[in-house]
Structures are given as C-alpha cells and as structure tokens.
Tab-separated table of all heavy atoms in Angstrom:
chain	number	residue	atom	x	y	z
A	1	VAL	N	-3.826	-168.021	-116.844
A	1	VAL	CA	-5.218	-167.559	-116.770
A	1	VAL	C	-6.148	-168.724	-116.471
A	1	VAL	O	-7.089	-168.597	-115.668
A	1	VAL	CB	-5.622	-166.862	-118.089
A	1	VAL	CG1	-7.121	-166.537	-118.090
A	1	VAL	CG2	-4.808	-165.587	-118.292
A	2	GLU	N	-5.878	-169.857	-117.084
A	2	GLU	CA	-6.710	-171.039	-116.849
A	2	GLU	C	-6.542	-171.549	-115.423
A	2	GLU	O	-7.518	-171.967	-114.785
A	2	GLU	CB	-6.351	-172.120	-117.862
A	2	GLU	CG	-6.768	-171.765	-119.287
A	2	GLU	CD	-6.107	-172.624	-120.341
A	2	GLU	OE1	-5.403	-173.594	-119.947
A	2	GLU	OE2	-6.269	-172.330	-121.539
A	3	ARG	N	-5.304	-171.516	-114.901
A	3	ARG	CA	-5.075	-171.956	-113.510
A	3	ARG	C	-5.827	-171.075	-112.520
A	3	ARG	O	-6.299	-171.550	-111.489
A	3	ARG	CB	-3.581	-171.923	-113.177
A	3	ARG	CG	-2.757	-173.005	-113.821
A	3	ARG	CD	-1.446	-173.239	-113.069
A	3	ARG	NE	-0.657	-172.031	-112.901
A	3	ARG	CZ	0.244	-171.592	-113.770
A	3	ARG	NH1	0.448	-172.272	-114.918
A	3	ARG	NH2	0.937	-170.495	-113.530
A	4	ARG	N	-5.939	-169.791	-112.847
A	4	ARG	CA	-6.633	-168.846	-111.958
A	4	ARG	C	-8.142	-168.831	-112.204
A	4	ARG	O	-8.864	-168.034	-111.612
A	4	ARG	CB	-6.068	-167.443	-112.145
A	4	ARG	CG	-4.578	-167.305	-111.890
A	4	ARG	CD	-4.178	-167.641	-110.479
A	4	ARG	NE	-4.755	-166.730	-109.479
A	4	ARG	CZ	-4.487	-166.778	-108.188
A	4	ARG	NH1	-3.680	-167.737	-107.718
A	4	ARG	NH2	-5.027	-165.936	-107.352
A	5	GLU	N	-8.608	-169.706	-113.110
A	5	GLU	CA	-10.043	-169.868	-113.394
A	5	GLU	C	-10.680	-168.568	-113.871
A	5	GLU	O	-11.770	-168.178	-113.440
A	5	GLU	CB	-10.769	-170.402	-112.150
A	5	GLU	CG	-10.238	-171.754	-111.695
A	5	GLU	CD	-10.989	-172.274	-110.474
A	5	GLU	OE1	-11.778	-171.524	-109.879
A	5	GLU	OE2	-10.768	-173.451	-110.117
A	6	LEU	N	-10.006	-167.892	-114.814
A	6	LEU	CA	-10.513	-166.634	-115.363
A	6	LEU	C	-10.765	-166.730	-116.867
A	6	LEU	O	-10.885	-165.710	-117.551
A	6	LEU	CB	-9.511	-165.500	-115.096
A	6	LEU	CG	-9.325	-165.093	-113.630
A	6	LEU	CD1	-8.196	-164.077	-113.507
A	6	LEU	CD2	-10.617	-164.511	-113.070
A	7	THR	N	-10.853	-167.940	-117.384
A	7	THR	CA	-11.001	-168.117	-118.837
A	7	THR	C	-12.259	-167.457	-119.383
A	7	THR	O	-12.278	-166.984	-120.520
A	7	THR	CB	-11.015	-169.611	-119.194
A	7	THR	OG1	-11.996	-170.280	-118.380
A	7	THR	CG2	-9.656	-170.237	-118.946
A	8	ASP	N	-13.320	-167.435	-118.605
A	8	ASP	CA	-14.578	-166.851	-119.091
A	8	ASP	C	-14.632	-165.336	-118.889
A	8	ASP	O	-15.436	-164.654	-119.536
A	8	ASP	CB	-15.776	-167.491	-118.373
A	8	ASP	CG	-15.913	-168.967	-118.703
A	8	ASP	OD1	-15.503	-169.355	-119.818
A	8	ASP	OD2	-16.412	-169.728	-117.851
A	9	LEU	N	-13.786	-164.804	-118.012
A	9	LEU	CA	-13.817	-163.370	-117.713
A	9	LEU	C	-12.797	-162.568	-118.509
A	9	LEU	O	-13.047	-161.413	-118.857
A	9	LEU	CB	-13.565	-163.150	-116.213
A	9	LEU	CG	-14.691	-163.528	-115.249
A	9	LEU	CD1	-14.233	-163.309	-113.809
A	9	LEU	CD2	-15.932	-162.700	-115.531
A	10	TRP	N	-11.640	-163.168	-118.789
A	10	TRP	CA	-10.553	-162.409	-119.415
A	10	TRP	C	-10.878	-162.147	-120.893
A	10	TRP	O	-11.098	-163.088	-121.666
A	10	TRP	CB	-9.234	-163.172	-119.317
A	10	TRP	CG	-8.047	-162.262	-119.409
A	10	TRP	CD1	-7.641	-161.543	-120.490
A	10	TRP	CD2	-7.123	-161.964	-118.362
A	10	TRP	NE1	-6.532	-160.800	-120.195
A	10	TRP	CE2	-6.184	-161.047	-118.892
A	10	TRP	CE3	-6.987	-162.381	-117.041
A	10	TRP	CZ2	-5.125	-160.545	-118.146
A	10	TRP	CZ3	-5.936	-161.881	-116.293
A	10	TRP	CH2	-5.019	-160.974	-116.834
A	11	PRO	N	-10.899	-160.879	-121.333
A	11	PRO	CA	-11.210	-160.555	-122.736
A	11	PRO	C	-10.189	-161.169	-123.692
A	11	PRO	O	-9.002	-161.299	-123.364
A	11	PRO	CB	-11.132	-159.022	-122.767
A	11	PRO	CG	-11.340	-158.595	-121.351
A	11	PRO	CD	-10.713	-159.671	-120.509
A	12	LYS	N	-10.652	-161.518	-124.889
A	12	LYS	CA	-9.797	-162.154	-125.882
A	12	LYS	C	-9.797	-161.373	-127.189
A	12	LYS	O	-10.719	-160.613	-127.483
A	12	LYS	CB	-10.267	-163.594	-126.145
A	12	LYS	CG	-10.178	-164.519	-124.950
A	12	LYS	CD	-10.680	-165.908	-125.291
A	12	LYS	CE	-10.604	-166.839	-124.075
A	12	LYS	NZ	-11.120	-168.199	-124.396
A	13	THR	N	-8.751	-161.594	-127.980
A	13	THR	CA	-8.658	-161.001	-129.310
A	13	THR	C	-9.499	-161.826	-130.280
A	13	THR	O	-10.020	-162.889	-129.927
A	13	THR	CB	-7.207	-160.960	-129.803
A	13	THR	OG1	-6.758	-162.313	-129.998
A	13	THR	CG2	-6.301	-160.270	-128.789
A	14	ALA	N	-9.592	-161.346	-131.510
A	14	ALA	CA	-10.352	-162.073	-132.526
A	14	ALA	C	-9.734	-163.437	-132.808
A	14	ALA	O	-10.422	-164.373	-133.230
A	14	ALA	CB	-10.414	-161.246	-133.810
A	15	LYS	N	-8.419	-163.568	-132.569
A	15	LYS	CA	-7.722	-164.836	-132.798
A	15	LYS	C	-7.737	-165.742	-131.574
A	15	LYS	O	-7.117	-166.803	-131.571
A	15	LYS	CB	-6.288	-164.565	-133.229
A	15	LYS	CG	-6.182	-163.879	-134.591
A	15	LYS	CD	-4.722	-163.699	-134.994
A	15	LYS	CE	-4.615	-163.068	-136.373
A	15	LYS	NZ	-3.193	-162.894	-136.789
A	16	GLY	N	-8.415	-165.296	-130.500
A	16	GLY	CA	-8.553	-166.146	-129.325
A	16	GLY	C	-7.483	-165.986	-128.271
A	16	GLY	O	-7.482	-166.705	-127.274
A	17	LYS	N	-6.548	-165.023	-128.456
A	17	LYS	CA	-5.519	-164.781	-127.442
A	17	LYS	C	-6.063	-163.859	-126.346
A	17	LYS	O	-6.909	-163.004	-126.600
A	17	LYS	CB	-4.283	-164.143	-128.069
A	17	LYS	CG	-3.430	-165.082	-128.893
A	17	LYS	CD	-2.134	-164.396	-129.321
A	17	LYS	CE	-1.221	-165.357	-130.044
A	17	LYS	NZ	0.074	-164.705	-130.409
A	18	TYR	N	-5.556	-164.040	-125.136
A	18	TYR	CA	-5.982	-163.167	-124.041
A	18	TYR	C	-5.366	-161.778	-124.227
A	18	TYR	O	-4.164	-161.641	-124.465
A	18	TYR	CB	-5.550	-163.759	-122.698
A	18	TYR	CG	-6.282	-165.024	-122.356
A	18	TYR	CD1	-5.633	-166.258	-122.408
A	18	TYR	CD2	-7.627	-165.001	-121.988
A	18	TYR	CE1	-6.308	-167.434	-122.109
A	18	TYR	CE2	-8.305	-166.170	-121.683
A	18	TYR	CZ	-7.641	-167.379	-121.750
A	18	TYR	OH	-8.321	-168.531	-121.453
A	19	LYS	N	-6.211	-160.755	-124.118
A	19	LYS	CA	-5.750	-159.379	-124.317
A	19	LYS	C	-4.869	-158.929	-123.152
A	19	LYS	O	-5.119	-159.288	-121.996
A	19	LYS	CB	-6.939	-158.427	-124.450
A	19	LYS	CG	-7.718	-158.579	-125.737
A	19	LYS	CD	-8.825	-157.536	-125.818
A	19	LYS	CE	-9.586	-157.635	-127.133
A	19	LYS	NZ	-10.659	-156.613	-127.219
A	20	LEU	N	-3.874	-158.118	-123.483
A	20	LEU	CA	-2.960	-157.613	-122.460
A	20	LEU	C	-2.765	-156.104	-122.595
A	20	LEU	O	-1.819	-155.556	-122.034
A	20	LEU	CB	-1.602	-158.319	-122.564
A	20	LEU	CG	-1.599	-159.780	-122.131
A	20	LEU	CD1	-0.326	-160.469	-122.590
A	20	LEU	CD2	-1.740	-159.879	-120.625
A	21	SER	N	-3.637	-155.433	-123.328
A	21	SER	CA	-3.449	-154.006	-123.587
A	21	SER	C	-3.572	-153.197	-122.302
A	21	SER	O	-4.417	-153.451	-121.462
A	21	SER	CB	-4.478	-153.508	-124.607
A	21	SER	OG	-5.789	-153.719	-124.128
A	22	ASP	N	-2.702	-152.217	-122.172
A	22	ASP	CA	-2.705	-151.282	-121.053
A	22	ASP	C	-2.176	-149.939	-121.579
A	22	ASP	O	-1.099	-149.492	-121.219
A	22	ASP	CB	-1.789	-151.781	-119.930
A	22	ASP	CG	-2.575	-152.112	-118.664
A	22	ASP	OD1	-3.811	-152.019	-118.701
A	22	ASP	OD2	-1.953	-152.452	-117.657
A	23	PRO	N	-2.908	-149.277	-122.475
A	23	PRO	CA	-2.376	-148.081	-123.129
A	23	PRO	C	-2.149	-146.932	-122.160
A	23	PRO	O	-2.832	-146.804	-121.145
A	23	PRO	CB	-3.472	-147.714	-124.145
A	23	PRO	CG	-4.729	-148.281	-123.548
A	23	PRO	CD	-4.302	-149.546	-122.869
A	24	LYS	N	-1.157	-146.071	-122.501
A	24	LYS	CA	-0.891	-144.898	-121.678
A	24	LYS	C	-2.061	-143.931	-121.753
A	24	LYS	O	-2.385	-143.243	-120.795
A	24	LYS	CB	0.387	-144.202	-122.146
A	24	LYS	CG	1.654	-144.995	-121.920
A	24	LYS	CD	2.868	-144.201	-122.376
A	24	LYS	CE	4.150	-144.992	-122.173
A	24	LYS	NZ	5.343	-144.244	-122.633
A	25	ARG	N	-2.663	-143.839	-122.926
A	25	ARG	CA	-3.791	-142.945	-123.150
A	25	ARG	C	-5.044	-143.772	-123.405
A	25	ARG	O	-4.979	-144.934	-123.789
A	25	ARG	CB	-3.525	-142.033	-124.355
A	25	ARG	CG	-2.275	-141.178	-124.205
A	25	ARG	CD	-2.458	-140.122	-123.144
A	25	ARG	NE	-1.243	-139.381	-122.904
A	25	ARG	CZ	-1.034	-138.621	-121.859
A	25	ARG	NH1	-1.954	-138.512	-120.924
A	25	ARG	NH2	0.109	-137.976	-121.703
A	26	GLY	N	-6.186	-143.148	-123.231
A	26	GLY	CA	-7.438	-143.835	-123.500
A	26	GLY	C	-8.213	-144.106	-122.229
A	26	GLY	O	-7.745	-143.892	-121.113
A	27	GLY	N	-9.440	-144.572	-122.421
A	27	GLY	CA	-10.320	-144.809	-121.293
A	27	GLY	C	-9.928	-146.020	-120.481
A	27	GLY	O	-9.158	-146.879	-120.923
A	28	GLU	N	-10.515	-146.112	-119.294
A	28	GLU	CA	-10.215	-147.233	-118.408
A	28	GLU	C	-10.677	-148.562	-119.002
A	28	GLU	O	-10.107	-149.612	-118.718
A	28	GLU	CB	-10.882	-147.005	-117.046
A	28	GLU	CG	-10.260	-145.892	-116.224
A	28	GLU	CD	-8.803	-146.168	-115.880
A	28	GLU	OE1	-8.491	-147.294	-115.457
A	28	GLU	OE2	-7.985	-145.257	-116.061
A	29	ASP	N	-11.697	-148.524	-119.850
A	29	ASP	CA	-12.184	-149.758	-120.458
A	29	ASP	C	-11.128	-150.415	-121.340
A	29	ASP	O	-11.164	-151.621	-121.574
A	29	ASP	CB	-13.438	-149.468	-121.301
A	29	ASP	CG	-14.654	-149.177	-120.431
A	29	ASP	OD1	-14.590	-149.498	-119.228
A	29	ASP	OD2	-15.646	-148.634	-120.943
C-alpha cells in the first residue's frame, strides 16, 4: 500500500491495520 502511495486513502482499523473487508452481504461502502 505504501509503495502504491495509498497510505492516506486506504481505510484502517482502530489498531492501524489496512482494512481488507469484502463481505458477501452489505452495502458497497
């Protein structure tokens, strides 16, 4: 993520990890 210069755009968890959620159900957000 840092190499692709997306550190400021990619959402993070409360612990500072980059989120990777892609649920089968739920909204696009």
